[in-house]
């Protein structure tokens, strides 16, 4: 027999979901986002989850697992940056998994512009939740305008998919996140004193290879198909949607190219530095 206390969470969750759906209806109607109410609770939970991971779980687990490293980070900014990379790693793995669940659906392939599947709604809702958190953190703990633009652009673009609109493409662009775990691992290895180590070199190769494959090659290919599709259906949707998606896609691809260039330069400097240090060390032993 089930105790009455174990039944309490279910009604609470159902009531909360119903309240959040109701809360989102005015926004959904004003923007014509038919599927937003059904997935708005997931957006809220994802935003809350990433915020909790950032502010509570990441600091707690870091002090538990690597106390000396976490304590040695430079002030609040250094610890915040560490926590952000943990959130980024978890998000990249989560979204990559959810995106793969969306790829085989016939309804999406048959109608790239307006096809829909609930798995797309779930993946996009988690993505929007992450980008809300990401945008807020990028503004509050400002480092680079590129991060602010990226977060806000992605949040807007993925919110528009609940029309439904471009459900075929949204999970495919989420596959860009496949390169992010390697970026985070590279950063963590620096903080753990593994700079220049064999494992960091291997990870660096995987990072550049994955980034180039999924964000540059696959990303530009899918973007061409994406832009072709939104142009083909331009008379069936608001011009605001078409313009926003066009500009957003151009911005995101430009950022990918910019960041890829920065990564290459960073690794080149590191290889040159290590090569010079090795040459000097060999010279002293001769």
């Amino acid at each position: 027999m089930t105790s009455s206390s174990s039944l309490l969470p279910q009604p609470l969750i159902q009531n909360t979901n119903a309240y959040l759906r109701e809360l989102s209806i005015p926004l959904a109607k004003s923007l014509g986002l038919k599927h937003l109410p059904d997935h708005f609770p997931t957006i809220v939970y994802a935003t809350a989850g990433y915020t909790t991971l950032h502010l509570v779980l990441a600091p707690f687990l870091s002090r538990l697992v690597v106390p000396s490293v976490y304590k040695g980070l430079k002030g609040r900014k250094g610890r915040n940056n560490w926590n952000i990379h943990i959130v980024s790693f978890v998000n990249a793995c989560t979204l990559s998994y959810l995106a793969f669940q969306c790829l085989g659906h016939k309804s999406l392939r048959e109608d790239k512009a307006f096809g829909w599947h609930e798995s797309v709604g779930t993946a996009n809702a988690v993505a929007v939740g992450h980008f809300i958190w990401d945008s807020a953190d990028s503004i509050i703990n400002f480092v680079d305008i590129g991060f602010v633009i990226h977060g806000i652009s992605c949040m807007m673009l993925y919110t528009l998919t609940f029309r439904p609109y471009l459900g075929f493409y949204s999970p495919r662009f989420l596959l860009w996140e496949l390169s992010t775990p390697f970026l985070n691992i590279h950063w963590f290895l620096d903080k753990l004193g593994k700079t220049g180590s064999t494992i960091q070199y291997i990870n660096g190769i995987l990072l550049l290879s994955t980034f180039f494959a999924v964000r540059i090659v696959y990303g530009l290919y899918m973007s061409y198909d994406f832009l072709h599709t939104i142009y083909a259906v331009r008379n069936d949707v608001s011009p605001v949607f078409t313009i926003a998606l066009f500009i957003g896609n151009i911005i995101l691809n430009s950022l990918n190219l910019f960041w890829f260039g920065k990564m290459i330069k960073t690794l080149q400097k590191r290889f040159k530095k290590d090569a010079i240090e090795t040459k000097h060390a060999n010279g002293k032993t001769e």
Side-chain angles (χ1 to χ4, degrees), residues 29 43 67 168 176 208 281:
K29 285 185 176 180
I43 293 175
F168 172 83
W176 286 0
L208 286 177

Side-chain angles (χ1 to χ4, degrees), residues 48-94:
Y50 285 124
T51 303
T52 302
L53 177 59
H54 175 206
L55 300 178
V56 181
L57 295 178
F60 173 77
L61 292 173
S62 298
R63 290 189 182 99
L64 191 66
V65 178
V66 284
S68 59
V69 174
Y70 193 71
K71 186 178 180 181
L73 296 170
K74 294 181 180 179
R76 178 185 175 278
K77 184 177 180 180
R79 290 189 293 273
N80 185 68
N81 204 14
W82 174 282
N83 299 335
I84 286 171
H85 278 80
I86 291 177
V87 178
S88 176
F89 183 88
V90 171
N91 173 69
C93 295
T94 302

Side-chain angles (χ1 to χ4, degrees), residues 276-286:
I276 291 172
E277 289 177 351
T278 301
K279 183 177 179 181
H280 287 171
N282 290 337
K284 289 178 180 178
T285 59
E286 289 176 356

Side-chain angles (χ1 to χ4, degrees), residues 197-247:
S197 63
T198 301
I199 190 171
Q200 192 179 54
Y201 282 132
I202 294 172
N203 183 76
I205 293 170
L206 291 172
L207 168 59
L208 286 177
S209 301
T210 310
F211 195 101
F212 181 73
V214 299
R215 292 187 181 241
I216 307 301
V217 178
Y218 181 72
L220 290 175
Y221 168 75
M222 288 307 303
S223 292
Y224 172 80
D225 196 53
F226 168 84
L227 294 174
H228 182 271
T229 297
I230 65 172
Y231 181 78
V233 299
R234 65 192 183 282
N235 295 324
D236 299 322
V237 297
S238 167
V240 175
F241 279 25
T242 302
I243 293 170
L245 288 164
F246 179 83
I247 294 174

Side-chain angles (χ1 to χ4, degrees), residues 149-151 153-154 157-158 176 215 247-257 259:
I149 293 172
H150 177 267
S153 298
C154 288
L157 293 176
Y158 276 89
W176 286 0
R215 292 187 181 241
I247 294 174
N249 184 264
I250 297 300
I251 288 173
L252 294 177
N253 277 292
S254 299
L255 286 171
N256 282 336
L257 291 168
W259 285 331

